[in-house]
Structures are given as C-alpha cells and as structure tokens.
Amino acid sequence: MDKELKDKRLGFAFKLSALTILGATIVFCISFIYNYQSSKKIILELVNEKSHQIISKTIAYIENINDTVSPAPTYLAQHLEPRPLKADELLLTIKIIVATNPLIFGMTVAHEPYYLNSKTKYYAPYLYKNSKNNNKIETIYLGNDGIDFYNMDWYKPPKDQNMAIWSEPYFDEGGGKILMTTYSVPFTQKNNRLHGSQNKFTGIVTADVSLESLKKMIGEIKIYNTGYAFLLSKNGNLLTPLKGEVNNYGNIIELAKTTKDNDLIKMLENTLSKEHPSYDVKKDNIERDKNEKDSIFQITSKSKLFLKDSTAILYYLKLKYTGWILFLVIPENELFNDVNMIFSKISFMALIGIILLSLITMLVVTKFTNPLRLLTQKANEMAKGNFNEKITLELIDQKDEIGTLSSSFEHMRAAIKDYIANLEETTAAKERIESELKIATNIQLSFLPKKYPPFTSKYFNVSAILDPAKEVGGDLYDLRMVDNDHLFLQVGDVSGKGVPAALFMAVTQTLIKGLSKQYIDPAQILMDVNKELSRSNEECMFVTVLAGTLNIKTGLFTYSNAGHLAPLLIRPSANSGNTNSSNITLSWLDLPPGVVLGVNENAIFEKLETTLQHGDYIILYTDGLIEAHNKNKELYSPERFESEVIKIFEKHKSPKAEIITKHLIESVINFADGEPAFDDTTILTLQYLPNLASSSASSKKNR
C-alpha cells in the first residue's frame, strides 16, 4: 500500500513538473520562433535593399549605353532622309561618330539592294575599332553571297516594324568578330530613282556596342560566397553564364527543360513574355525610383540550375526598351547561415536550461507534495469507512493552503462521521415508514375489487385500473350487483395525496359499500355518505364521486354526481347515424347538480337517467387522466382523451373493456414521457351487451 501511495505521489509530482516545464517550453518555443522569423525578415529586408542597389547600379550602366549610343544613329538616320550623302561624306560622318563615342564599337549604313547601283546588291560600309590595332578605325564592306545581312536581326526586324530597336546579342562574323548588340534605326528618302517621289524605306543605320565590358561588370557581382548575377536577352539567351550544375551559355528555357521543373519553366516563360511588367528607363528620376522597386520581382527556386548546393532566392528586373532581364542569385543557406548558427547555440543553451529547470521543479514539487501524500493516506482511511483517525496538528498548523486544506479535511471527517451516525438513524426510520406504507397500500387495495368481473354476467364486461401518484392514493372505485337486475358502480377522487387521502378514501369506500346494499337510488346513497363525512371532517377534506345504477336488462342507467367529471358515452354506428372514421359516436353525459362530499352536511343530490343500447360503452374516470402533463407543461386534455378512444376503435371493431382501459393508461404514460404524475389516475370502462345474454337464454330454452 505504501508503495502504491509513493507511486501516486511521484505521479502527481511528475505531472505537475511536466506541466510547468511544458509551459516554459511552449513560451520559449513561441519566443524562439518569433525572434527567428523576425531575424529572417530583417535579413531579407537588408538583402532586398542591397539587391536594389546592385540592380540600380547595373541599370545605370545599361541606361548609359542606351542614352549614349542611341542618339548617334538616330541623328544620322534623320540626316539621311532629306537627301543621300555621297560615299566619302557618308564614310567621314560614320568615322567621326565612331571616333567620338567611346561606347560605339562600330557603325554602318546598310542600304536596300541595288539602291545606289543597279549592278551592286550590297552597299553597307562598316567602320569599327580594331582592338588588335590600338582601336584604330578600320573600314570593311558588309554583305556577300555567304553573309546576307538583309535577313539578320539588326536589319530585318526594324525594317518590318519600322521602328528603332535593340537587336538580340550576337557574335558578329562579318564585321567586328566580337559578341555585340546593335541599335538599329530605319530611314527613308525621297526622289530616288527607284521609287519616284514617295517616301520609301531606304536602309538601316546601326550602332554596335560590345558586350564584353557589360559581361565583365555583371561577372564581378558577388553575393556572399556563391551568389552571383546573370543577364538574359529578350529571347532568353544567356549573356553571362549560370553557375549551377549547368555552367554554360545557351537559352535558359532549354536549360530549364533539362531539370524537368515545370514551375521554373512556367516562371521563365512568363518573364520572357511581352505581357510581363518591365522597367521603363525613359521615365524621369522621381518616377524611375518608384518604378524600379515596383518592377523588381522575387522568387525562390530549389532548382540546381542556379546553385548546386542551395535553394536560390532570385531577384530579377526586366528592361522595357531592350527587353533584357537582370537576375541576382542569392544562396538561401548562406543568407541565413549566421542566424541559424546563433539560434542553434540559443537552442542548445535553452535545452540545458530546461533540463536544470526540470530537476529544480521536481525537487520543489516533491517537497511541497509531501503533506498532500499524508492527506491522501487519511482520505484512503476515510474511503475505507474509518472516520476515527484525526488529521495531525502538524498539518493543520501550517500557515499556507496545505494547512487550510488539512483543517477542512478534519472538519469534513468529523462532519461525515456525525452524518453517517444520523444517516443510520434516518435510514432505519425510513425503512419503518416504507414498511408501513406497503402495509397501507395493501390495506387500501383491499377496499377495491380484486378482479373483473367479481361476478358472472353476460350482460356486460367491465375493466378498471387505479394508478396512484404515490405509494398510497386517494382515488376509489367499485361495482357490485345490488340484486339480480341492478349493477352499482362508482368512481371517486379524494382531495390531497398520500396517507391522509388514502384514509379518507377508505372511510368513503366503506360508507358507499354499506349504503349501496340498502339503496338502489345513487342520489340517496351520496346524500347519506355526505352526512356521515361532514359530521366529523375537522381537516376539511372532501371527495368527488360519480355513482350510478345500471338495470342490466333494460339498459337504464341512473346516476348522481358529487362534483365529479362527466362520464364518456361511446355508441357504435349501428346505434347512431352521426359517426366518425372509427364508426362510433362520442358524447359526454349531462351531470345532475351536486357538490363534493364532506363539505356541506345538508347538501341535496339529484339524479339523471340515460338508456344504454347494445354495444354501448361508458367510461368513468378521475381528473388524473385529463390533467396529466408532460415536460412542456401541456395537459392531456379531454380532446386527447377522445382522440385516443377513436384510435382504439379504428384498430378494433368491438374492443373489450379491458383493451380500452389499458390503452388509455398507456397513452397517459407515453404522453407524460417520464414526468412524475401529479394526481392519481383511475379509469373504469363498462361495455353493455344485453343481446348476448338474450341469445344465450334462447339457446338454452330451445335445447
């Protein structure tokens, strides 16, 4: 037993400690997660700011290319539209532009086929800086049967679209022999010999820009250890290499397809589409700062296309006029490496702290639960029925909640001890009362008929039930043959409940039984019973009674009333033309004047008569039937009484009195649905059958 108590004590201490540690752990975890996420958010904000700075710097360089290069070919194209220049003038102009613009690598004015000479298809003088000869400007002429520049990106698209555009980056085989991009401006001329006086497309003025410096600048961008930047053309061609598993040039969509990452492919295709938002480098400075931030997008990709050993956070921006896309690749593991290391150390220290806190909590809880263990022992003794062992003063004198609890236990022990002693006395007294009530119930039932019919008769069948609300009730009923031709029957209800009502009922039943042997007239019987009850009724109790005498041969029913309820007459369809779906007619008998018995010694009682026909039923009952109520405080009511009677006759053509009585009692019980009965319920049903008796008599006579 001591071992069991010890286990329980340890179990309680463990649970209390566990809850304390669990609460502390939850608080720590919430704080840890909040601080960790906040730190990551701050780092991301710093990275965003740094990414914007890098992108802004790169954009400024690209803008400088566009702003520095585009005016020269635009000016020359406008200058050529009024009139064509002579060959030496054209070469001189191009040479001056290339020499004075450091970003322009080379330049040409490419004319339409056979424009200057019907025998010469190609005319495109190209002047460029030869890096192998100290950037000396040299001249070559583009175009031959092997290299047809009319279908190249720097010629055909601006001609077809009739607008200045930047070409897709390409390696110039016919001119500069370097990776470059070309700004192409279409121009027209009038009055030329081929096209008459109308403005017709004449050729393209180009300015070539070397991408080597841009590649070098982007290649020098380094973010953490493995982060980098790369540049895409508007068609998705890599201008700078990737540094993931695929460290190469090419089209990024084709490279992405090798990873089978559908989300990545869809993102890149969407970025390269014309509908994707782009950054307009032509806005003024105030609008440009806002547009730049709005146009920078961020995604996270686990594809090894960008980084071999880490998830990549990508920032990218698309330029409107070139269509180029600048990407910054930031390794997520390096980005959060410092934060993860710091919080790993914090987690380790927190684990050590939780272990120490657990040990301290267990020691403290164990110490403070020792008094509870002693109280548990006392409670177990009380559970066994031993209330003589007192709580020690050591526990009661403690100046804390344990002392208060110990004092309460001691008061409870003493109170329970006294209560059990009183309960034993009360139980013994209750058992005596219950025994006496059982005897009283048996005595009460002895005043009522014990079986139906109590005599043999072929003129009627009868059934009665009394259901008391308490062990003994105040309802009464009786029926007896006064002589060979008359049947006396009565139902009554005494005021009050329990033993007093049962005693008053016994007196009333005895008086009626005695007087019914002397008189056939029910009014005379009620009058004499009323006198006897009124003379010595100091408690002012009373009883309602409906009594009647039935001539079993003629069917004449004479009845008198002492404040009771009207009987229900049921007449089959053969005896009445007014019927319902059950082929019966229901009617309530008129009641003669009459007050309750036991109140007025000089009260006068009258009587009425009605004639029963073969197959008629008459039901006498007490108010416990129609005043029964359910949990919703709804009454059973006379209407429900009639409805239940109709149900019986819909199911049975000519039911016996016993069937009707039992059905009505069951319907009351079902209606109450467990609600305690407020009053006794008594039902007496009689079916009059004189024709059966006549048939039986004729049959005997014939034999």
Side-chain angles (χ1 to χ4, degrees):
M1 183 65 184
D2 292 338
K3 186 175 183 297
E4 181 182 355
L5 290 174
K6 184 177 180 181
D7 292 341
K8 291 182 179 179
R9 175 177 62 82
L10 290 175
F12 176 74
F14 175 78
K15 291 177 182 178
L16 186 58
S17 301
L19 288 174
T20 303
I21 301 305
L22 179 62
T25 303
I26 291 174
V27 172
F28 168 77
C29 289
I30 293 174
S31 177
F32 178 88
I33 293 172
Y34 174 78
N35 286 298
Y36 181 73
Q37 296 298 331
S38 298
S39 299
K40 289 181 67 176
K41 184 178 179 181
I42 292 172
I43 290 175
L44 283 174
E45 289 176 353
L46 293 175
V47 170
N48 286 340
E49 188 64 29
K50 184 177 180 180
S51 299
H52 289 157
Q53 293 174 1
I54 294 173
I55 290 175
S56 297
K57 181 179 178 181
T58 308
I59 288 173
Y61 183 84
I62 296 174
E63 287 181 19
N64 183 57
I65 294 175
N66 181 75
D67 294 342
T68 304
V69 173
S70 61
T74 302
Y75 166 77
L76 182 55
Q78 293 173 351
H79 187 69
L80 291 173
E81 286 187 354
R83 65 177 182 85
L85 296 177
K86 294 180 180 181
D88 54 348
E89 291 178 334
L90 180 61
L91 292 175
L92 180 60
T93 303
I94 296 174
K95 186 175 182 178
I96 293 172
I97 294 174
V98 173
T100 57
N101 195 319
L103 291 179
I104 295 179
F105 174 79
M107 192 171 185
T108 186
V109 177
H111 293 78
E112 280 286 84
Y114 307 106
Y115 174 75
L116 295 177
N117 190 328
S118 60
K119 296 181 179 181
T120 305
K121 179 179 180 181
Y122 302 100
Y123 183 73
Y126 180 66
L127 284 75
Y128 69 99
K129 298 171 182 174
N130 189 345
S131 59
K132 296 179 181 181
N133 192 13
N134 296 323
N135 288 331
K136 181 180 178 182
I137 298 176
E138 297 182 0
T139 304
I140 62 173
Y141 288 88
L142 304 178
N144 54 59
D145 293 337
I147 302 176
D148 183 6
F149 61 77
Y150 293 122
N151 292 315
M152 290 185 176
D153 287 344
W154 59 265
Y155 191 94
K156 191 173 188 309
K159 173 185 176 181
D160 294 342
Q161 299 176 31
N162 193 28
M163 62 181 294
I165 60 174
W166 284 93
S167 71
E168 186 75 4
Y170 64 97
F171 187 84
D172 185 22
E173 295 286 350
K177 306 293 183 179
I178 62 170
L179 183 65
M180 65 175 61
T181 183
T182 300
Y183 185 74
S184 303
V185 181
F187 69 94
T188 60
Q189 289 182 348
K190 297 180 180 179
N191 298 323
N192 62 70
R193 63 182 184 82
L194 293 177
H195 303 107
S197 60
Q198 295 181 353
N199 281 335
K200 295 294 182 179
F201 175 77
T202 305
I204 298 291
V205 179
T206 69
D208 296 336
V209 178
S210 172
L211 296 180
E212 296 301 322
S213 59
L214 181 60
K215 286 172 55 180
K216 182 179 179 182
M217 177 187 176
I218 294 176
E220 290 175 351
I221 296 175
K222 189 173 183 180
I223 306 170
Y224 295 102
N225 294 328
T226 58
Y228 64 98
F230 67 91
L231 187 65
L232 288 181
S233 71
K234 61 183 178 181
N235 292 331
N237 294 319
L238 285 163
L239 305 183
T240 57
L242 298 176
K243 296 182 181 180
E245 284 190 340
V246 181
N247 187 1
N248 206 341
Y249 290 97
N251 187 277
I252 196 168
I253 298 295
E254 298 302 323
L255 294 175
K257 289 180 179 178
T258 62
T259 67
K260 298 181 180 180
D261 188 339
N262 294 328
D263 292 336
L264 175 62
I265 296 171
K266 185 176 181 180
M267 181 277 295
L268 292 172
E269 289 176 344
N270 177 61
T271 304
L272 293 170
S273 68
K274 294 182 179 179
E275 291 76 16
H276 193 281
S278 57
Y279 174 55
D280 189 351
V281 300
K282 296 299 182 181
K283 298 289 184 179
D284 58 60
N285 290 333
I286 296 176
E287 290 183 342
R288 280 172 57 182
D289 290 340
K290 178 178 182 299
N291 290 344
E292 179 186 330
K293 292 182 179 180
D294 291 344
S295 301
I296 295 178
F297 297 89
Q298 175 189 346
I299 61 170
T300 301
S301 174
K302 295 183 179 180
S303 173
K304 294 186 178 181
L305 181 66
F306 304 108
L307 291 171
K308 293 180 180 179
D309 303 318
S310 174
T311 298
I313 300 176
L314 303 177
Y315 291 87
Y316 64 96
L317 178 144
K318 184 177 183 181
L319 295 176
K320 183 174 182 180
Y321 289 95
T322 63
W324 297 350
I325 305 170
L326 176 64
F327 279 85
L328 298 184
V329 181
I330 302 174
E332 188 178 55
N333 59 349
E334 296 175 13
L335 178 63
F336 300 121
N337 185 51
D338 293 340
V339 174
N340 292 334
M341 288 182 61
I342 292 172
F343 278 93
S344 295
K345 294 179 180 179
I346 293 175
S347 300
F348 178 76
M349 295 174 62
L351 179 61
I352 299 299
I354 290 174
I355 293 174
L356 293 176
L357 180 61
S358 301
L359 295 175
I360 295 172
T361 303
M362 286 291 292
L363 292 175
V364 173
V365 170
T366 301
K367 178 180 178 181
F368 282 98
T369 54
N370 279 331
L372 293 178
R373 178 177 60 84
L374 297 177
L375 285 177
T376 302
Q377 292 176 346
K378 301 298 181 182
N380 287 332
E381 292 296 323
M382 292 172 60
K384 296 176 182 178
N386 181 10
F387 296 96
N388 296 320
E389 189 172 348
K390 296 182 178 181
I391 307 296
T392 58
L393 293 177
E394 178 185 354
L395 295 175
I396 296 176
D397 291 341
Q398 287 189 215
K399 304 300 181 181
D400 54 17
E401 289 81 359
I402 299 296
T404 303
L405 181 61
S406 301
S407 177
S408 300
F409 256 85
E410 175 58 23
H411 287 300
M412 182 179 68
R413 182 199 64 79
I416 292 177
K417 182 179 179 181
D418 294 339
Y419 174 76
I420 290 176
N422 295 332
L423 183 62
E424 290 175 349
E425 296 177 2
T426 303
T427 301
K430 182 179 179 182
E431 289 176 350
R432 289 194 300 271
I433 293 173
E434 289 178 351
S435 177
E436 292 172 357
L437 286 175
K438 289 180 180 179
I439 295 172
T441 300
N442 293 333
I443 294 173
Q444 179 189 13
L445 293 176
S446 67
F447 286 94
L448 304 175
K450 296 181 176 59
K451 62 179 182 177
Y452 286 95
F455 37 78
T456 302
S457 176
K458 296 182 180 180
Y459 287 90
F460 58 85
N461 73 74
V462 67
S463 173
I465 294 179
L466 189 154
D467 184 15
K470 294 187 176 181
E471 287 83 355
V472 290
D475 279 9
L476 63 151
Y477 69 91
D478 197 9
L479 73 161
R480 64 185 62 256
M481 292 298 297
V482 178
D483 53 31
N484 292 334
D485 296 334
H486 295 89
L487 171 68
F488 175 80
L489 63 160
Q490 53 91 9
V491 169
D493 184 7
V494 178
S495 63
K497 308 289 183 297
V499 175
L503 293 175
F504 200 75
M505 166 264 184
V507 174
T508 304
Q509 185 80 335
T510 302
L511 289 172
I512 292 176
K513 185 179 294 185
L515 292 171
S516 64
K517 295 178 181 179
Q518 301 178 25
Y519 306 108
I520 294 178
D521 185 358
Q524 184 64 46
I525 294 173
L526 294 182
M527 190 178 300
D528 290 350
V529 171
N530 179 60
K531 289 180 181 179
E532 292 297 329
L533 293 177
S534 300
R535 288 171 184 169
S536 57
N537 189 9
E538 296 179 358
E539 299 298 328
C540 294
M541 296 188 70
F542 62 87
V543 57
T544 67
V545 176
L546 191 140
T549 302
L550 174 66
N551 188 320
I552 61 176
K553 294 183 178 179
T554 65
L556 181 64
F557 180 59
T558 305
Y559 59 98
S560 183
N561 178 47
H564 202 74
L565 302 170
L568 178 64
L569 177 64
I570 305 171
R571 179 153 291 169
S573 58
N575 301 333
S576 175
N578 298 322
T579 62
N580 49 37
S581 60
S582 57
N583 296 321
I584 58 171
T585 299
L586 304 179
S587 60
W588 302 92
L589 295 183
D590 295 333
L591 291 176
V595 299
V596 296
L597 304 181
V599 176
N600 183 3
E601 183 178 353
N602 299 318
I604 303 297
F605 296 89
E606 299 180 11
K607 60 184 177 181
L608 291 177
E609 295 179 347
T610 186
T611 301
L612 301 183
Q613 301 176 17
H614 177 79
D616 285 355
Y617 298 81
I618 188 169
I619 301 177
L620 282 63
Y621 57 93
T622 59
D623 57 3
L625 173 65
I626 60 173
E627 294 180 1
H629 62 279
N630 57 19
K631 295 179 180 179
N632 297 325
K633 306 304 179 184
E634 298 172 339
L635 293 178
Y636 187 83
S637 75
E639 290 78 14
R640 189 179 297 274
F641 182 11
E642 292 180 348
S643 175
E644 292 296 333
V645 170
I646 292 172
K647 289 180 182 178
I648 297 172
F649 280 87
E650 288 176 346
K651 187 176 181 180
H652 304 278
K653 184 177 181 181
S654 181
K656 291 185 177 181
E658 182 180 5
I659 293 176
I660 297 175
T661 306
K662 288 183 177 181
H663 179 91
L664 292 174
I665 285 292
E666 290 175 357
S667 70
V668 171
I669 295 173
N670 294 333
F671 173 78
D673 192 22
E675 188 72 7
F678 179 76
D679 199 358
D680 304 337
T681 303
T682 300
I683 302 173
L684 188 152
T685 306
L686 180 141
Q687 181 184 21
Y688 183 54
L689 301 167
N691 292 349
L692 296 180
S694 300
S695 299
S696 176
S698 299
S699 178
K700 289 181 180 180
K701 184 176 180 180
N702 292 334
R703 284 199 299 270

